[in-house]
Amino acid sequence: MPTTSDSAHAVGLPQRAVREVMSGHPVQVAASSTLEDALATMAGAKLRHLVVVDGAGRCAGVISDRAIVAAWAAEPGCLSARRVSSVLDSPPAAVDVDATVVDAARLMCGAHVDAVAVVDRRGCAAGIVTGSDLVSLLTR
């Protein structure tokens, strides 16, 4: 049975600012990069998600290791030829830095993704929030 302080903590979570729980300075990859390059970046940084940026440096979405594996399974040998942009969701899964945790969670649920980019007013990536970040928040 949750204690009163646990209940009060849980009630405030949905309205908490996403900028308070996001991972700032996300590792990024260009939309024009190959899937092979994106996978190498993920492996080198020990990450499952990268923020994708367009030629102007604005957020174009998030690529996951699962999307890369699915592309490879559908077409073995494609990793060095296919671009990151070819596996991105449209519209990009992104929330504004002023969004709440519940906004990010709803987008993740509705878009069937396990990570969203957090963008500033210019559309540039300020951070990333993953399903693991949200689970970690719930356990604090």
Side-chain angles (χ1 to χ4, degrees), residues 19 57-59 94-99 118-127:
R19 68 178 159 273
R58 287 184 303 272
C59 179
V95 295
D96 186 85
V97 291
D98 295 324
V118 180
V119 297
D120 63 19
R121 288 187 176 98
R122 298 170 296 147
C124 296

Side-chain angles (χ1 to χ4, degrees), residues 10-117:
V11 169
L13 287 178
Q15 297 311 314
R16 193 168 188 180
V18 73
R19 68 178 159 273
E20 295 176 28
V21 299
M22 71 181 190
S23 298
H25 308 291
V27 177
Q28 300 179 2
V29 64
S32 60
S33 296
T34 64
L35 294 178
E36 182 176 53
D37 290 339
L39 188 58
T41 300
M42 283 179 186
K46 297 183 179 172
L47 296 172
R48 293 183 41 239
H49 304 91
L50 300 174
V51 172
V52 181
V53 295
D54 64 16
R58 287 184 303 272
C59 179
V62 174
I63 187 169
S64 69
D65 56 352
R66 291 178 182 179
I68 295 172
V69 169
W72 171 80
E75 185 184 345
C78 75
L79 297 185
S80 62
R82 282 188 71 182
R83 303 287 169 207
V84 168
S85 59
S86 72
V87 297
L88 289 180
D89 294 324
S90 183
V95 295
D96 186 85
V97 291
D98 295 324
T100 64
V101 169
V102 75
D103 293 331
R106 284 181 178 148
L107 176 58
M108 292 166 83
C109 187
H112 306 288
V113 295
D114 61 348
V116 295

